Amino acid sequence: MSVDRLSDPAVRAFVAALNAGDRRAFREALTPDATMSDDGSDRDLDQWVEQEVFSSRGHMDVESEKGGGRDLVARYRNDTWGEMRTAWHFVVEDGKIARFETGQA
């Protein structure tokens, strides 16, 4: 599924920035106090994003969406872990991502 077809504009901005490796646009897609979890454990968002996305060239290929576009299944790959099928859940507040949760699907 192409990024521009994602239903939720905040999720679309998040995925587009992640895939472009655009730190500034990625940060702008999030609320200032955004949080996240990976495989059920809360993580430091800035540290996780740097390690799992930007320094390892992370990329999401979305397979499907539901929940108004706030729940995705995607093939996620980076230089550290290779590719895996992942599930993503997003909480959106005022048009920005306030929390995202990811893990293996």
Side-chain angles (χ1 to χ4, degrees):
M1 164 177 254
S2 83
V3 173
D4 62 336
R5 300 185 100 195
L6 295 174
S7 300
D8 189 283
V11 173
R12 188 180 325 122
F14 175 99
V15 175
L18 185 151
N19 285 350
D22 187 334
R23 285 177 170 87
R24 185 176 57 90
F26 187 86
R27 189 34 106 176
E28 289 174 359
L30 303 173
T31 63
D33 58 347
T35 61
M36 62 87 52
S37 71
D38 185 1
D39 284 330
S41 297
D42 279 6
R43 308 289 180 154
D44 177 279
L45 185 138
D46 292 327
Q47 181 181 13
W48 187 91
V49 167
E50 182 58 35
Q51 183 176 354
E52 301 293 337
V53 177
F54 296 116
S55 67
S56 62
R57 299 183 319 143
H59 188 88
M60 291 175 73
D61 289 316
V62 178
E63 294 180 356
S64 64
E65 68 172 11
K66 63 181 183 180
R70 294 184 181 178
D71 293 293
L72 306 179
V73 173
R75 290 182 323 278
Y76 186 79
R77 67 180 178 274
N78 66 26
D79 291 345
T80 303
W81 304 107
E83 184 173 303
M84 65 189 79
R85 194 161 186 260
T86 56
W88 298 74
H89 172 72
F90 297 91
V91 176
V92 177
E93 294 176 2
D94 299 322
K96 295 193 178 246
I97 305 297
R99 179 171 176 81
F100 66 93
E101 298 168 352
T102 187
Q104 293 195 43

